[in-house]
Amino acid sequence: MAFFLRRLSFYLMALLFAATLNFILPRAMPGDPVTMMFANATAEVTPERIESMKKLLGFVDAPLYQQYFSYLGNIFTGNWGLSIKYYPITVNELLGSAVGWSLFLTGSAIILAFCIGSVLGIFAAWRRGSHYDSFISPSMLVVQSIPSVVVAMLVLYTFAIGLEWFPSGNAYTVGTQPDWGSWAFYKDVAYHAVLPLFCATIGQIGGFLISMRNNMINLLNEDFITMAKAKGLSENRVVFNYAARNSMLPSVTALSMALGSAISGQLIVEMIFNYPGLGTVLLNAIHARDYQVLQGQLLLMTMFMLFFNFLADLMIVYLDPRLRKGGK
């Protein structure tokens, strides 16, 4: 319990620091976001309109500490402001409509890559030096080194445009009304997700494979592995119950960080396949200088990263009995 409370307090302080930094950055820029928003406007913008937009978006002439505490209050009450580009849509609505798609696409890709890469890495380490190890490890590193834009364009051209096996874009058929109670709609979503999910997954397998392979190789000469073999335990039990489980600890940390970053979306994949995730929202917000959305997404990404890191701490304590005893 003491370990849990220490880690929780650390992550709460980290969240407060990130929120404070999120508050300072737009205000540290020359001028303010509203003035910059209207800087390239073709029509004449009156000072009264600029001032009213400042008040609407929270950039008022109040003392900085009052703005800060008002900002913190809005964060914890769920009022993240209005989008400049999609006014009068709120940041909550805009991010909420995209977060599910990013979590589905990027989260699924990371979990698939972790499972596939870890299993491949386990066998590569156990059979190190074999033909399998000599082929699979370099092959996955080569695939990982290919830019995601190249992979996505090749997959799109081959399987969507050339062979016409899969749709070329969107999360579901255009014109379809989302019906979350219909299996037909879920099948349509899955069908549209095949190509972007493949592109988001294939480039991440190599990292998890090499991480698991190296971790296991470092453990295979440990005394407890030698003892397990000497006791006559089966090969599968030695590999999975002893070597693989202890090799998972660093990989769990890498998985948590990858899942934490999943909220930012697969920007290149989402752009090419016109997928309505947070990567697309982030790109549009940058182009439109939509600071409210950028602030909200940065805060959301930070919250996810901290949450999954905290979850990784708990999982590592569960997987490693030595830490579990020391945390009591």
Side-chain angles (χ1 to χ4, degrees):
M1 181 58 69
F3 173 85
F4 173 84
L5 293 177
R6 284 198 304 270
R7 301 308 295 171
L8 181 61
S9 61
F10 168 78
Y11 284 116
L12 289 177
M13 291 300 297
L15 178 59
L16 179 61
F17 175 79
T20 302
L21 187 64
N22 203 23
F23 169 81
I24 292 174
L25 285 178
R27 290 161 177 81
M29 297 175 62
D32 59 76
V34 178
T35 303
M36 294 182 65
M37 179 180 67
F38 290 119
N40 298 322
T42 54
E44 183 178 355
V45 181
T46 62
E48 291 79 10
R49 184 179 179 188
I50 293 178
E51 191 64 28
S52 63
M53 185 61 75
K54 285 183 180 180
K55 292 180 180 179
L56 181 63
L57 297 177
F59 293 91
V60 294
D61 295 328
L64 197 61
Y65 73 90
Q66 290 185 8
Q67 296 185 44
Y68 176 68
F69 287 114
S70 175
Y71 163 79
L72 289 181
N74 289 335
I75 286 178
F76 292 109
T77 56
N79 179 17
W80 288 12
L82 297 171
S83 168
I84 295 174
K85 177 178 175 61
Y86 299 102
Y87 177 83
I89 297 177
T90 66
V91 174
N92 303 58
E93 293 172 335
L94 187 62
L95 296 180
S97 63
V99 65
W101 296 112
S102 281
L103 287 178
F104 167 66
L105 177 64
T106 315
S108 300
I110 291 172
I111 293 173
L112 280 174
F114 174 77
C115 295
I116 296 172
S118 295
V119 171
L120 294 177
I122 289 171
F123 288 107
W126 190 252
R127 303 296 183 188
R128 62 188 182 281
S130 65
H131 293 298
Y132 167 80
D133 181 33
S134 301
F135 170 76
I136 196 66
S137 301
S139 298
M140 287 295 100
L141 286 178
V142 169
V143 172
Q144 185 181 14
S145 66
I146 301 175
S148 57
V149 62
V150 175
V151 174
M153 291 297 293
L154 286 174
V155 169
L156 176 67
Y157 180 79
T158 303
F159 296 102
I161 299 175
L163 298 175
E164 298 184 354
W165 288 355
F166 299 99
S168 60
N170 300 304
Y172 49 86
T173 303
V174 177
T176 301
Q177 186 67 27
D179 182 7
W180 301 106
S182 169
W183 280 108
F185 178 71
Y186 283 108
K187 289 172 61 177
D188 189 36
V189 169
Y191 181 53
H192 280 74
V194 170
L195 295 186
L197 182 59
F198 172 81
C199 295
T201 302
I202 192 67
Q204 302 183 72
I205 294 176
F208 290 116
L209 185 155
I210 297 302
S211 175
M212 176 60 73
R213 178 184 181 276
N214 293 341
N215 294 336
M216 272 200 65
I217 288 176
N218 291 332
L219 283 173
L220 287 176
N221 294 323
E222 293 288 339
D223 292 339
F224 69 94
I225 298 293
T226 304
M227 179 63 70
K229 294 178 180 177
K231 290 168 62 177
L233 299 179
S234 65
E235 181 176 293
N236 287 339
R237 189 171 179 183
V238 173
V239 171
F240 292 102
N241 289 19
Y242 289 82
R245 179 172 179 175
N246 287 277
S247 301
M248 289 289 290
L249 298 180
S251 297
V252 166
T253 303
L255 174 63
S256 68
M257 296 183 66
L259 286 172
S261 64
I263 197 67
S264 62
Q266 284 274 348
L267 180 58
I268 298 299
V269 174
E270 290 181 8
M271 286 174 53
I272 292 176
F273 289 96
N274 194 28
Y275 208 79
L278 286 170
T280 303
V281 171
L282 180 63
L283 181 66
N284 293 335
I286 293 172
H287 287 166
R289 295 184 178 179
D290 197 338
Y291 293 98
Q292 298 289 89
V293 173
L294 290 174
Q295 278 186 292
Q297 184 155 347
L298 177 61
L299 185 63
L300 188 64
M301 290 163 59
T302 303
M303 292 170 63
F304 265 76
M305 181 66 74
L306 293 176
F307 170 76
F308 280 106
N309 281 354
F310 179 61
L311 187 62
D313 286 343
L314 299 182
M315 291 178 64
I316 289 174
V317 170
Y318 170 75
L319 291 171
D320 192 337
R322 297 168 297 180
L323 295 176
R324 189 158 64 247
K325 290 179 181 179
K328 292 183 178 179

